[in-house]
Amino acid sequence: MNGQKTSRPPAIEDHGVIGDLRTVALVATDGTLDWLCFPHFDSPSVFAALLDPDKGGHFRIAPEVDGSRVVHKQFYWPDTNVLVTRFYAPDGVGELVDFMPVGRAGRVREVVRRIRVVRGELPLRLECLPAFNYARDSHRVRLLRGGASFLSEKLNLTLSSSVPLDTDGRGVTARFTLREGQSAVFGLREGAPDSCHDTVMGHEASEALFRGTVDYWRHWVAGCSYTGRWREVVQRSALVLKLMTFEPSGAIVASPTCSLPESPGGVRNWDYRYVWIRDAAFTVYALLRIGFKKEAGAFMRWLEARIADLPPEQPLPLMYALDGSEVPREEELWHLSGYGGARPVRIGNGAAHQLQLDIYGELMDSVYLYNKHGAPISYDFWRHLRRLVDWVCAHWRDKDESIWEVRAGQQHFVYSKMMCWVAVDRALRLADKRSFPADRARWLQTRDAIFEEIMQKGWCSKRGAFIQSYETMALDAANLLMPLVFFLSPVDPRMLSTLDILRKPPAQGGLTSDGLVFRYDVEATADGVSAGREGTFNLCTFWLVEAMTRASVMRPDLLDEARLTFERMLGYANHSGLYAEQTGPSGEALGNFPQALTHLSLISAAYNLDKALGHRD
């Protein structure tokens, strides 16, 4: 690498992530930090080269040699979210360690980048070029004793540096050479001091901070109770989910990025840096399964506060900002070129005002499980939940946009009806288990009515499968959840038939390609977004694994198939065990990265598949 921009920007999958439980940074295998929103997940970006290599801003540390002669390797320090990027060059080996300190109360929040040469000698180059507010705000650069400050209207950042910096007025650069055993440390933090000489870290100080951060993550992940066959990948998924937790409130974001495309070069580009009730509820289930009750409890308290604030007779918003406020309106940023030319770049989310009836089922299921495996819920929380269930009883027949957030008008989605059934069913179970007061007669009648309607209108005898909505005969992978939420027996003939149809390739009317599952047929589903072929949905593939696992009690052949599919899917993780939302036609990552839904469904599939396999090996 000669310090200039590479001809091909890093792909989505060519990244690891670091974070401090308030925000996340993406670091590419070439040493470029090309995504960081600061100070929080949903704050404007400071570095966004991932969405525009020229304008977005980046922070790069890499060897200043011919890029074709450098081999890159990136991995996590075991059992942590500390990222290591190695550069193997003809004349030396460099090791870049990236982390954001956690676990120290009162410490200034910062990104720490330490480059060390462990063999030979390496010429290196640093480039730090921020682009505040999605590259919309101008800034000034001020060189300081021991670093530089970047001053914008709404945010100031300071880079402490153990090597001299130069500036061109937009960013700072440095050229330096390190020999075996030498290191240079850089810290990017909020503020604009007159000098940052006292914050420049040497090797010993950075080593102490590194070890403290490693100890924090190791102590946290030691609480994982999963001891099954795929312990390492389950723990990595748990560490990823923890990174996407906003510690001050317990809220869990769907993903720390925005506008990474679901369709190569297309327009399916959305902002996921908010708290989806659905995603967070599923996350609670996954965390409870592997022993992380504290995180589940923190989200439950956040959820209770949101429901308590809900005006009477109002539907529950499907997503929130981190602080519990309304999600910002959707904007299109046409000044950014988009990842791989995928435009428009979007921030905010227009789906925030949709009606998605399924969220009530996911919410009530997570509350039921938390009450069972976490801690008993309070009576006041129950009163708020009871009000939601009464609302579901009054509105379950309404049309909605459902889990996939279609933008072509509301329909009677089968998945939404099923999750309304789950909401009422879990409420009844919870009321009986805790002897809570409830309108049991109405709830029972509603639950039975939903079930009968789904079996009559949601089943297509012609296709031999449950369909996406009453208005279409298209298939939907979301229906794989039917046995997972105990709506149907996993070996009910209708469920087995649906499973067999979904497992066929698209050319034969199914949704599965070499074990990987499309969420639906884009061409057969009017979702309101211009066409463009999607990748397979990683979440849906793990749902298929679980559905086959449960069906194996009658179809033993499906257990082997479930394991093969699961382990094949593990091969589509990136080099550090992370998943985006989708897997593209060439095996590339598509959609926002990393994605909570994918990692939590991996945990659930691993847990249940390992349990079904038992000691068979």
Side-chain angles (χ1 to χ4, degrees):
M1 178 175 178
N2 59 9
Q4 301 301 312
K5 292 181 176 63
T6 56
S7 58
R8 177 185 177 274
I12 294 171
E13 63 269 20
D14 291 339
H15 290 83
V17 295
I18 59 173
D20 63 356
L21 308 180
R22 285 163 177 78
T23 192
V24 155
L26 271 64
V27 181
T29 54
D30 68 356
T32 304
L33 193 162
D34 53 14
W35 180 259
L36 173 66
C37 296
F38 197 85
H40 300 145
F41 294 104
D42 56 358
S43 300
S45 67
V46 174
F47 301 114
L50 195 59
L51 297 179
D52 191 317
D54 297 321
K55 299 177 184 176
H58 65 270
F59 183 2
R60 180 181 299 124
I61 301 173
E64 194 171 25
V65 297
D66 181 1
S68 65
R69 303 177 67 202
V70 180
V71 175
H72 305 89
K73 182 179 181 180
Q74 191 178 71
F75 56 93
Y76 280 106
W77 201 268
D79 298 334
T80 77
N81 282 315
V82 174
L83 193 65
V84 181
T85 306
R86 285 219 182 109
F87 309 107
Y88 297 90
D91 297 324
V93 177
E95 183 175 270
L96 177 64
V97 177
D98 287 305
F99 63 95
M100 299 177 74
V102 286
R104 291 191 176 189
R107 181 172 179 85
V108 175
R109 295 176 54 216
E110 64 182 326
V111 177
V112 177
R113 313 198 74 190
R114 182 177 72 182
I115 180 71
R116 183 169 68 99
V117 170
V118 296
R119 295 285 189 277
E121 179 179 295
L122 274 183
L124 296 150
R125 178 177 172 86
L126 172 146
E127 299 173 356
C128 186
L129 175 60
F132 293 91
N133 190 19
Y134 310 105
R136 293 184 295 187
D137 290 356
S138 61
H139 68 274
R140 294 183 296 111
V141 180
R142 186 175 68 179
L143 292 180
L144 305 172
R145 184 167 172 257
S149 283
F150 308 97
L151 312 173
S152 73
E153 181 181 352
K154 298 175 183 177
L155 179 66
N156 298 323
L157 294 176
T158 294
L159 176 67
S160 64
S161 170
S162 58
V163 300
L165 302 173
D166 296 314
T167 182
D168 62 359
R170 297 174 60 238
V172 296
T173 61
R175 284 185 167 89
F176 55 102
T177 298
L178 297 179
R179 295 174 178 83
E180 186 171 327
Q182 293 182 327
S183 64
V185 185
F186 307 91
L188 185 68
R189 59 173 61 186
E190 188 172 6
D194 294 327
S195 170
C196 53
H197 180 75
D198 59 337
T199 63
V200 175
M201 283 183 283
H203 181 78
E204 290 186 4
S206 66
E207 181 70 12
L209 202 55
F210 161 77
R211 288 176 182 247
T213 305
V214 166
D215 286 346
Y216 174 88
W217 288 115
R218 283 181 172 170
H219 176 77
W220 183 82
V221 82
C224 180
S225 61
Y226 179 85
T227 58
R229 290 166 173 79
W230 303 283
R231 182 171 177 267
E232 186 175 344
V233 294
V234 166
Q235 288 192 346
R236 175 51 53 197
S237 288
L239 283 162
V240 173
L241 292 176
K242 179 65 172 176
L243 269 185
M244 288 188 268
T245 301
F246 187 62
E247 190 175 51
S249 67
I252 302 166
V253 297
S255 178
T257 61
C258 69
S259 265
L260 295 180
E262 297 174 1
S263 180
V267 299
R268 298 172 183 267
N269 317 315
W270 318 111
D271 190 349
Y272 278 12
R273 298 170 300 149
Y274 308 109
V275 187
W276 266 253
I277 295 294
R278 174 191 309 111
D279 296 37
F282 279 140
T283 303
V284 167
Y285 166 78
L287 292 175
L288 282 173
R289 276 297 189 202
I290 56 175
F292 293 109
K293 296 181 181 181
K294 179 181 177 182
E295 284 70 22
F299 176 69
M300 278 295 147
R301 290 188 290 275
W302 182 90
L303 185 62
E304 181 176 1
R306 305 289 78 74
I307 298 173
D309 293 339
L310 189 67
E313 297 304 315
Q314 288 293 312
L316 183 68
L318 64 105
M319 69 178 87
Y320 290 88
L322 288 172
D323 60 2
S325 63
E326 186 174 313
V327 169
R329 65 180 180 85
E330 192 169 290
E331 295 181 64
E332 297 181 348
L333 305 183
W334 288 97
H335 68 286
L336 296 177
S337 61
Y339 174 85
R343 302 176 78 192
V345 170
R346 292 186 178 91
I347 58 173
N349 201 303
H353 301 290
Q354 289 185 348
L355 177 64
Q356 296 181 16
L357 295 172
D358 63 287
I359 66 173
Y360 294 91
E362 291 125 3
L363 184 155
M364 287 303 304
D365 192 44
S366 68
V367 173
Y368 174 78
L369 290 168
Y370 180 72
N371 182 84
K372 182 177 181 180
H373 299 292
I377 66 168
S378 68
Y379 168 67
D380 286 330
F381 193 11
W382 171 251
R383 287 193 305 111
H384 301 316
L385 294 169
R386 183 175 61 186
R387 178 160 52 92
L388 292 184
V389 177
D390 287 338
W391 189 93
V392 171
C393 289
H395 293 274
W396 71 269
R397 288 187 172 88
D398 295 348
K399 296 181 178 182
D400 75 331
E401 282 88 0
S402 197
I403 183 173
W404 305 129
E405 300 176 352
V406 299
R407 299 192 176 199
Q410 298 178 340
Q411 299 179 47
H412 288 292
F413 285 99
V414 173
Y415 177 77
S416 291
K417 306 300 183 189
M418 177 186 70
M419 294 310 289
C420 286
W421 178 92
V422 171
V424 182
D425 177 75
R426 300 309 189 266
L428 283 164
R429 295 188 190 205
L430 193 52
D432 290 342
K433 185 174 182 64
R434 294 289 306 280
S435 299
F436 280 139
D439 191 350
R440 285 172 170 79
R442 183 191 186 196
W443 291 4
L444 279 166
Q445 183 181 24
T446 300
R447 186 183 66 176
D448 291 348
I450 298 173
F451 190 95
E452 294 285 7
E453 181 172 296
I454 291 174
M455 300 306 282
Q456 293 171 11
K457 297 182 180 180
W459 169 258
C460 177
S461 56
K462 184 177 181 180
R463 296 210 65 172
F466 287 100
I467 49 179
Q468 186 174 59
S469 72
Y470 300 168
E471 293 86 356
T472 177
M473 291 175 61
L475 298 179
D476 192 329
N479 291 334
L480 287 167
L481 257 70
M482 285 184 168
L484 277 58
V485 298
F486 307 112
F487 175 80
L488 272 186
S489 160
V491 295
D492 185 290
R494 294 193 186 193
M495 193 63 234
L496 289 174
S497 178
T498 299
L499 192 58
D500 288 338
I501 295 296
L502 284 171
R503 290 174 59 212
K504 291 182 178 181
Q508 298 178 24
L511 294 177
T512 303
S513 174
D514 191 36
L516 307 185
V517 183
F518 295 96
R519 57 177 172 170
Y520 52 74
D521 184 344
V522 173
E523 296 179 0
T525 300
D527 58 12
V529 184
S530 58
R533 196 64 186 170
E534 288 191 330
T536 54
F537 242 68
N538 298 327
L539 164 71
C540 298
T541 301
F542 288 122
W543 282 349
L544 175 63
V545 170
E546 278 212 63
M548 290 193 294
T549 298
R550 294 172 189 262
S552 67
V553 295
M554 181 178 285
R555 294 262 304 272
D557 61 299
L558 289 178
L559 188 58
D560 286 330
E561 191 63 31
R563 181 171 186 170
L564 287 171
T565 300
F566 180 78
E567 292 179 334
R568 181 183 293 116
M569 189 61 196
L570 295 184
Y572 284 96
N574 81 340
H575 59 276
S576 52
L578 307 182
Y579 290 92
E581 186 173 39
Q582 301 182 23
T583 299
S586 301
E588 76 276 26
L590 290 175
N592 287 305
F593 174 90
Q595 199 209 27
L597 273 175
T598 301
H599 284 278
L600 64 90
S601 61
L602 181 155
I603 291 173
S604 181
Y607 178 92
N608 289 295
L609 179 57
D610 185 71
K611 185 178 178 181
L613 288 168
H615 299 292
R616 193 182 69 168
D617 290 351

